[in-house]
Amino acid sequence: RRWAFPLVVVGMNSIAIYVLDKLTRAWLVKRLTVHLGSGIFTLYGLVDPAYAPLVQRVMVMAIFWLVMYWMYRRKLFIKI
């Protein structure tokens, strides 16, 4: 049951994470680059630059998951 918890958090606000991704992903990537430097997606040389898009996506999704977790803890759910 524990392994499914991250999926439960996202599933409870699937509409919110979809909208968040479509509206703010590019802005968030730009903010990460501005504030943490241009090498953030290669983990400052630890990862091959060919994998930078994968690292970028994982970082963005981790931030989105934290937003969804915040909403889950406060019982803020978007319903249609």
Side-chain angles (χ1 to χ4, degrees):
R1 194 163 187 185
R2 264 187 186 176
W3 65 269
F5 179 71
L7 300 174
V8 170
V9 169
V10 171
M12 293 299 286
N13 264 322
S14 57
I15 296 171
I17 199 164
Y18 176 79
V19 171
L20 190 66
D21 179 58
K22 295 300 177 191
L23 294 178
T24 65
R25 182 173 14 124
W27 177 84
L28 183 59
V29 168
K30 188 175 180 181
R31 295 297 109 202
L32 285 171
T33 305
V34 167
H35 293 291
L36 299 176
S38 60
I40 187 64
F41 300 123
T42 60
L43 301 177
Y44 302 107
L46 294 175
V47 177
D48 185 8
Y51 295 109
L54 177 65
V55 173
Q56 172 189 337
R57 192 67 171 155
V58 168
M59 286 181 165
V60 169
M61 290 310 294
I63 293 169
F64 287 167
W65 188 86
L66 289 172
V67 172
M68 293 302 108
Y69 182 67
W70 177 82
M71 291 175 71
Y72 179 83
R73 295 278 293 174
R74 281 156 184 74
K75 297 184 184 343
L76 299 172
F77 304 117
I78 297 176
K79 297 179 185 179
I80 294 181

